[in-house]
Amino acid sequence: MKKKKLLAAAIVLCMVIQLLCACGKQKISMSDKVYVGVTCYDQNDTFLSELLVCFKEELNHLNKNGVETTVTVKNAAGSQRTQNDQVKELINAGCNVLCVNLVDRADPSEIIDVAKEHDVPIIFFNREPVAEDMRQWDRLYYVGADAKQSGVLQGELAVEMIRQNSQIDHNKDGKIQYVVLEGEAGHQDAIIRTENAVDTLNKNGIELEKLSYQIANWNRAQAQNRMEQMLGQYKNKIELVLANNDDMALGALDAYKNLNYTEALLPVFIGIDGTDMGLKAVEDSSMAGTVYNDKEGQARAIAKLSAALVIGKEAEEIKFTNENYIYLPYSKVTKENVHEYLK
Ligand code: GAL
Ligand code: CA
């Protein structure tokens, strides 16, 4: 009996030792190559596709500086379930850092659980998870921009234009009749941008009359369609179009062109992002202005942080806004300074 107990104890001891060794090994073998797995809420989104181009350039830059990186990009095409599966695939394929542009910013738990289980850190970007979810694990990061700032700057652009040009008040009633084209319901950049743009106009003493608003999911074609509906109702009464992004501002302009409105009847269009098309529209004055969403800065931050999390290099240069957050500042773009932004 005694012998049996001793044997059992010896076996248990062996198992414990083996386990300890295995854990030790895992910790020591920190990778020297950065395998980045990216999944994007919708790769047809103009701003995000431009951001991804910048991101790949940044990774090439790291490669040239002797940090070996590879990247796999997946398109969740609007489905959170697809994205959850993609994260598992990316981890199984050996990715050691994940960059996740959530489909549903309020639903990251499944992704966080899998990543945690495999100890693969996550950099969320562009679609900000709620703070509570960010606290689920200490290897979660966010790279993006402060939505409030973009709204305030858009409001300031509108204030400046209205003050400079009395013609904007077409019907001379002392009020600016406006409509809003909003991004997605539930997206931090949609709600907060609208709120702060309008707030800023109010605070600056501009009298406003809101005619209508429509959700167009950041999308140019949808925005054209919604704008045509609004034009059916308000005809030439609209004096200002505030769009949560450039694609929707351009879609609104498409609607006016499609319905053959003359130049004199066009409202002022203001966007956000400074996409390639958006900047061109500011340059040729079809859009009055935009707010630059610093995709280069965000791409650089995501790339550097990825490398830092895997191999510890480049970490010293990273500036966190607070704890695990990196916010890049927005800036105002008008015809006067657009050349600084055009490539
Ligand atoms: C915003 C951007 C939009 C759209 C959206 C997607 O920051 O301004 O154009 O890309 O993100 O989440
Ligand atoms: Ca008016």
Side-chain angles (χ1 to χ4, degrees):
M1 200 59 198
K2 238 187 182 176
K3 259 190 187 168
K4 259 193 185 167
K5 267 192 186 164
L6 254 167
L7 193 70
I11 291 172
V12 169
L13 194 71
C14 278
M15 277 162 64
V16 168
I17 289 172
Q18 260 179 356
L19 214 80
L20 283 174
C21 287
C23 290
K25 243 188 237 154
Q26 233 175 29
K27 283 231 170 89
I28 298 162
S29 72
M30 212 184 172
S31 178
D32 54 353
K33 284 186 198 135
V34 188
Y35 297 104
V36 192
V38 182
T39 158
C40 197
Y41 97 99
D42 176 7
Q43 247 175 283
N44 292 324
D45 179 291
T46 307
F47 173 74
L48 279 161
S49 57
E50 291 182 10
L51 173 69
L52 284 177
V53 171
C54 295
F55 182 58
K56 287 180 185 159
E57 281 169 15
E58 288 297 332
L59 292 180
N60 280 336
H61 194 69
L62 285 176
N63 284 335
K64 279 187 197 127
N65 288 331
V67 182
E68 209 176 314
T69 67
T70 56
V71 62
T72 307
V73 180
K74 295 199 180 269
N75 181 9
S79 158
Q80 189 56 60
R81 190 175 284 195
T82 303
Q83 186 164 62
N84 295 350
D85 292 340
Q86 288 175 339
V87 164
K88 288 169 205 155
E89 284 162 28
L90 289 165
I91 292 177
N92 288 337
C95 290
N96 50 20
V97 55
L98 293 166
C99 300
V100 178
N101 176 231
L102 283 168
V103 175
D104 181 351
R105 61 185 283 262
D107 193 13
S109 290
E110 199 173 321
I111 289 178
I112 294 173
D113 287 346
V114 190
K116 204 168 159 181
E117 198 182 308
H118 293 84
D119 198 28
V120 179
I122 308 178
I123 304 169
F124 292 105
F125 65 100
N126 171 265
R127 299 161 75 88
E128 186 173 334
V130 282
E132 205 182 305
D133 286 324
M134 285 292 287
R135 285 193 288 267
Q136 282 193 44
W137 186 32
D138 61 2
R139 303 197 76 197
L140 304 177
Y141 298 83
Y142 179 70
V143 175
D146 173 17
K148 178 173 179 185
Q149 188 193 24
S150 56
V152 170
L153 294 182
Q154 186 180 47
E156 285 177 12
L157 281 172
V159 171
E160 286 155 24
M161 277 148 203
I162 292 163
R163 284 193 181 140
Q164 274 162 25
N165 181 1
S166 60
Q167 303 296 315
I168 292 174
D169 181 10
H170 287 172
N171 65 351
K172 305 266 174 275
D173 67 346
K175 290 184 208 151
I176 300 298
Q177 279 71 26
Y178 76 100
V179 300
V180 182
L181 282 164
E182 296 211 4
E184 292 160 79
H187 189 302
Q188 84 281 357
D189 284 343
I191 308 158
I192 300 176
R193 280 176 184 171
T194 305
E195 226 174 68
N196 285 282
V198 172
D199 238 40
T200 304
L201 279 150
N202 282 328
K203 276 189 192 140
N204 280 278
I206 306 284
E207 276 217 60
L208 293 174
E209 185 186 346
K210 180 175 183 173
L211 296 179
S212 185
Y213 79 94
Q214 291 285 330
I215 291 177
N217 296 304
W218 311 115
N219 180 280
R220 182 164 178 165
Q222 279 187 42
Q224 175 178 347
N225 180 285
R226 303 289 179 276
M227 192 72 219
E228 286 182 11
Q229 286 171 16
M230 291 194 278
L231 278 169
Q233 193 173 353
Y234 298 104
K235 310 253 166 358
N236 49 19
K237 287 206 185 106
I238 302 165
E239 298 170 340
L240 170 67
V241 176
L242 292 174
N244 282 169
N245 76 346
D246 285 355
D247 258 15
M248 294 190 293
L250 293 166
L253 182 62
D254 294 339
Y256 277 88
K257 284 194 188 147
N258 192 38
L259 299 174
N260 295 317
Y261 275 74
T262 57
E263 193 75 20
L265 291 175
L266 293 185
V268 170
F269 301 92
I270 308 180
I272 292 178
D273 276 347
T275 58
D276 296 345
M277 297 291 265
L279 292 177
K280 273 197 199 107
V282 173
E283 191 188 27
D284 71 21
S285 303
S286 50
M287 244 165 72
T290 188
V291 177
Y292 199 72
N293 195 354
D294 183 5
K295 56 181 184 294
E296 288 81 7
Q298 292 165 29
R300 195 167 312 128
I302 301 168
K304 284 199 168 158
L305 185 55
S306 298
L309 291 173
V310 178
I311 56 173
K313 262 194 198 167
E314 308 263 345
E316 57 290 337
E317 284 172 55
I318 295 171
K319 285 195 199 91
F320 287 94
T321 310
N322 55 47
E323 244 173 297
N324 290 4
Y325 289 76
I326 301 177
Y327 285 146
L328 277 293
Y330 284 101
S331 52
K332 289 186 262 190
V333 187
T334 60
K335 202 175 166 71
E336 278 71 59
N337 67 350
V338 68
H339 57 273
E340 292 166 27
Y341 294 83
L342 286 160
K343 275 181 206 136

